[in-house]
Amino acid sequence: MNALYFYDGPVLEFDREIARRWRGQTYAATEAKARSNLAYQFKMETGRIPRSKIVLPGKIVLEGDEQNERAYVSAEFAQV
């Protein structure tokens, strides 16, 4: 069953930081698949080709992990 995952952190391309903070969310069966989906989302949003090497080094937060989810939501509302 798919769960909702969140990401809020830096993005690297070939080990070089290209975004200090990027936020995304996706539904996936595993954390590894969520990380892959989020990297693909970033590529599409920024006009990169799908084969470009994008790394999300930060923590992926699973919905329902209340402590981490609160931190993500707080950060999201702080930007508004």
Side-chain angles (χ1 to χ4, degrees):
M1 183 159 83
N2 288 342
L4 181 59
Y5 290 87
F6 302 97
Y7 181 76
D8 183 2
V11 179
L12 306 177
E13 181 177 47
F14 298 106
D15 299 325
R16 183 176 52 99
E17 187 178 273
I18 57 171
R20 187 169 305 227
R21 184 175 186 194
W22 178 77
R23 289 181 293 184
Q25 63 184 35
T26 188
Y27 285 95
T30 66
E31 183 177 334
K33 183 60 178 173
R35 192 173 294 277
S36 173
N37 291 350
L38 289 163
Y40 185 78
Q41 260 183 46
F42 179 84
K43 292 173 191 179
M44 295 300 100
E45 287 178 14
T46 59
R48 287 172 167 72
I49 61 171
R51 291 182 51 146
S52 59
K53 183 181 178 193
I54 296 295
V55 176
L56 306 174
K59 184 173 183 172
I60 302 286
V61 177
L62 173 63
E63 180 184 44
D65 184 354
E66 293 178 18
Q67 182 180 7
N68 290 323
E69 189 176 347
R70 271 193 300 247
Y72 177 84
V73 170
S74 295
E76 186 173 324
F77 285 113
Q79 294 296 317
V80 176

